[in-house]
Amino acid sequence: MSLEDTQASEMESTIDTASVTSESTGGTGESVIETENVDVWYSDTQALDDITMEIPEQQVTALIGPSGCGKSTFLRCINRMNDLIESARIEGEIRLRGKNVYDDDVDPVALRRSVGMVFQEPNPFPKTIYDNVAYGLRVQGKDDNLDEKVEDALRRAALWEEVNDQLDSSGLDLSGGQQQRLCIARAIAPDPDVILMDEPASALDPVATSKIEDLIEDLASEYTVAIVTHNMQQAARISDKTAVFLTGGKLVEFGDTEKIFENPEHQRVEDYITGKFG
Ligand SMILES: Nc1ncnc2c1ncn2[C@@H]1O[C@H](COP(=O)(O)OP(=O)(O)OP(=O)(O)O)[C@@H](O)[C@H]1O
């Protein structure tokens, strides 16, 4: 198949944006985030093309697709991290609980408190474990009962048992997997509405990865989670909903994870999931 044919077939198989919304299988059934006709460019290069989808409350939504199809761009648009990239331009709407996050009266810093982010490489601050977790709480002036809140966040991040006797040690002295759970504790301490994760386990060994996966599933009982992953098994294991992006920054299929993995609507999605291209 020529490149043009491939692109044409992708265009044809791009779903009608009106049909993207899927039935909820768990969580509350509410949509926390709704995106409508979102286009993103970096200078003249289009990275996302007409993305309309919803991210349901208290579920895990996985974003999958080959390298360069716009998954990270999509994630970064939700909490306006792309504002920090000079060449980035966005059109369309992204609503958090009905409010367009790009409205003039939205403070991006406040937005990022409600929509926390965990990155591929664990990036604790060069501070103590305690101060890493307390950081966001202090910035927001929520520093009453700080010890209790730090412990609670570390417990929810499944790290408390391993670090409770070394809270004054540097976060950088922890193992990679522990550092990532510390970053998750830091992200959840201020009690965000949504947690965005960009390949949070890709730099970790299998044991640490498995802990992070268990943790993500647990977090979804309290938080709304959107995760970019290159790992198909991981997406299948931990997510309730899956969004498949393909070349050209198009959302080709979105729905219940089980359906996407067992009986996708589009041949290109099946080919991607079964490893025929990547
Ligand atoms: N800061 C940037 N400046 C210019 N172009 C960018 C920038 N970030 C991403 N892009 C381009 O936007 C497109 C989408 O990139 P993005 O990183 O969102 O894709 P991705 O699906 O997350 O890729 P990967 O799986 O490799 O991380 C690519 O063509 C990429 O080169």
Side-chain angles (χ1 to χ4, degrees), residues 1-262:
M1 202 185 248
S2 72
L3 181 61
E4 284 81 352
D5 288 343
T6 305
Q7 285 171 343
S9 84
E10 277 179 23
M11 298 270 280
E12 276 160 26
S13 63
T14 299
I15 37 174
D16 176 357
T17 52
S19 69
V20 175
T21 308
S22 64
E23 290 300 312
S24 182
T25 54
T28 63
E30 298 272 313
S31 286
V32 179
I33 291 171
E34 297 158 338
T35 76
E36 198 173 328
N37 307 120
V38 170
D39 294 326
V40 175
W41 287 266
Y42 296 103
S43 301
D44 294 336
T45 306
Q46 186 160 12
L48 289 177
D49 187 352
D50 201 26
I51 307 297
T52 297
M53 65 176 269
E54 299 181 2
I55 296 182
E57 185 170 53
Q58 290 176 7
Q59 291 199 335
V60 178
T61 299
L63 311 174
I64 64 171
S67 193
C69 66
K71 306 175 298 292
S72 300
T73 296
F74 181 71
L75 214 59
R76 289 198 304 262
C77 285
I78 295 173
N79 69 349
R80 293 185 51 175
M81 291 292 281
N82 273 346
D83 287 12
L84 310 172
I85 300 173
E86 210 173 304
S87 65
R89 182 164 59 87
I90 177 166
E91 282 181 10
E93 271 199 14
I94 297 183
R95 293 185 291 270
L96 172 65
R97 300 209 179 268
K99 170 77 175 164
N100 185 359
V101 302
Y102 286 89
D103 278 352
D104 290 343
D105 59 349
V106 172
D107 171 7
V109 176
L111 171 68
R112 288 176 206 136
R113 279 183 213 131
S114 322
V115 186
M117 193 152 186
V118 175
F119 298 88
Q120 182 171 7
E121 291 289 335
N123 59 349
F125 300 136
K127 294 173 181 289
T128 65
I129 292 169
Y130 185 99
D131 287 343
N132 263 279
V133 182
Y135 181 83
L137 294 163
R138 286 182 173 134
V139 168
Q140 290 179 52
K142 292 183 180 169
D143 48 5
D144 56 310
N145 303 321
L146 200 52
D147 290 358
E148 213 173 281
K149 289 176 180 169
V150 167
E151 177 176 339
D152 183 50
L154 284 167
R155 281 191 188 281
R156 282 185 287 159
L159 188 58
W160 175 254
E161 301 300 334
E162 290 162 60
V163 301
N164 65 63
D165 58 351
Q166 55 176 111
L167 297 179
D168 290 333
S169 309
S170 170
L172 298 174
D173 290 343
L174 297 172
S175 71
Q178 289 174 324
Q179 286 189 19
Q180 196 59 308
R181 278 179 283 143
L182 178 62
C183 294
I184 291 172
R186 185 177 67 190
I188 61 182
D191 224 11
D193 205 357
V194 180
I195 306 170
L196 308 175
M197 298 186 167
D198 198 348
E199 299 186 56
S202 65
L204 306 178
D205 65 48
V207 173
T209 296
S210 161
K211 281 191 184 168
I212 295 282
E213 289 183 3
D214 290 347
L215 172 57
I216 292 169
E217 287 187 278
D218 288 348
L219 288 175
S221 64
E222 286 179 78
Y223 303 99
T224 300
V225 179
I227 174 173
V228 168
T229 178
H230 275 121
N231 182 328
M232 295 299 130
Q233 285 79 17
Q234 183 172 80
R237 269 195 302 266
I238 67 172
S239 70
D240 304 287
K241 294 281 191 288
T242 295
V244 187
F245 290 73
L246 290 179
T247 316
K250 290 176 190 297
L251 174 62
V252 180
E253 197 160 332
F254 174 61
D256 289 337
T257 295
E258 210 175 305
K259 164 91 171 63
I260 299 254
F261 278 86
E262 285 176 9

